């Protein structure tokens, strides 16, 4: 148990049997009346975002979320198999739980897997990853970085927009949050 004064971004709360993570919070002290805490909560399992207001000092139940650095091994049907790098235990994570992170997962890549009482909640990747372009239309003479963009397929099968001058076989840095192109990587 914690009070609303202890809330911070990333805290996971247990409200009505469901797990909610705090996305934003703001302590408000109006001119008259009691203080309160305005929060934006995201449902850990469904991804639904809601606004909720708590009275200041109110007790809220926090959930114990275990975040572990794990290595992605392989895909088995609709499940992704991760291995704990400390204990070598393997964990099956459903496709729905992995979500958009699947667009950037390569075998033997590290990821943060959050669990609550042994149940996988979500998979968190680093903010950016380096992937190779497996297919894109060839660039033409005169294509420059200030021009437009074209679609490119990454080695994971995910498609992103890249500058016109990039070619197949080029390694690029990709933002895992919005699939944005961040730059070319030279080996």
């Amino acid at each position: 148990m914690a009070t609303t004064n202890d809330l911070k971004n990333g805290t996971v709360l247990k409200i009505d049997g469901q797990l909610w993570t705090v996305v934003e919070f703001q302590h408000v002290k109006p001119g008259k009346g009691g203080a309160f805490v305005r929060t934006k909560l995201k449902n850990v399992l469904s991804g639904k975002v809601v606004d909720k207001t708590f009275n200041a000092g109110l007790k809220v139940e926090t959930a114990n979320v275990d975040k572990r650095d794990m290595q992605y091994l392989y895909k088995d049907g609709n499940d992704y198999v991760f291995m704990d790098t400390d204990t070598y235990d393997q964990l099956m994570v459903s496709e729905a739980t992995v979500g958009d992170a699947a667009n950037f997962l390569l075998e033997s890549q590290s990821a943060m897997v959050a669990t609550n009482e042994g149940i996988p909640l979500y998979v968190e990747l680093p903010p950016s990853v380096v992937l190779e372009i497996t297919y894109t239309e060839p660039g033409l003479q005169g294509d420059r970085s200030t021009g437009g963009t074209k679609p490119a397929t990454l080695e994971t099968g995910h498609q992103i927009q890249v500058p016109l001058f990039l070619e197949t076989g080029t390694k690029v840095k990709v933002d895992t949050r919005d699939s944005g192109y961040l730059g070319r990587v030279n080996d």
Side-chain angles (χ1 to χ4, degrees), residues 97-178:
T97 304
V98 173
D100 290 341
N103 297 331
F104 309 104
L105 271 179
L106 287 176
E107 289 180 3
S108 76
Q109 182 178 343
S110 288
M112 186 74 67
V113 179
T115 57
N116 174 257
E117 297 172 4
I119 300 166
L121 301 175
Y122 59 88
V123 174
E124 195 175 290
L125 292 176
S128 65
V129 292
V130 175
L131 296 170
E132 187 175 323
I133 296 174
T134 55
Y135 178 77
T136 187
E137 295 293 328
L140 301 171
Q141 182 63 31
D143 288 342
R144 299 288 176 256
S145 61
T146 56
T149 61
K150 62 182 178 179
T153 305
L154 301 172
E155 57 188 307
T156 59
H158 185 58
Q159 203 170 60
I160 65 168
Q161 293 293 316
V162 298
L164 295 170
F165 65 88
L166 290 178
E167 298 173 1
T168 300
T170 307
K171 289 192 182 228
V172 293
K173 195 174 200 178
V174 183
D175 189 326
T176 57
R177 296 164 293 204
D178 64 4

Side-chain angles (χ1 to χ4, degrees), residues 26-43:
Q26 180 182 17
H27 290 277
V28 180
K29 176 71 174 103
K32 88 180 193 199
F36 58 91
V37 179
R38 189 178 293 137
T39 62
K40 187 178 280 189
L41 302 173
K42 181 178 178 185
N43 189 306

Side-chain angles (χ1 to χ4, degrees), residues 1-68:
M1 286 294 232
T3 67
T4 54
N5 300 332
D6 301 327
L7 291 182
K8 52 184 184 261
N9 291 349
T11 303
V12 179
L13 305 175
K14 196 172 201 174
I15 302 170
D16 299 329
Q18 294 186 333
L19 297 178
W20 298 83
T21 183
V22 177
V23 179
E24 276 178 32
F25 72 97
Q26 180 182 17
H27 290 277
V28 180
K29 176 71 174 103
K32 88 180 193 199
F36 58 91
V37 179
R38 189 178 293 137
T39 62
K40 187 178 280 189
L41 302 173
K42 181 178 178 185
N43 189 306
V44 172
L45 298 175
S46 72
K48 180 180 169 185
V49 178
V50 297
D51 293 322
K52 189 164 175 68
T53 304
F54 298 98
N55 289 330
L58 184 77
K59 293 224 181 277
V60 287
E61 187 178 353
T62 56
N64 185 16
V65 175
D66 185 21
K67 291 184 180 181
R68 289 179 181 233

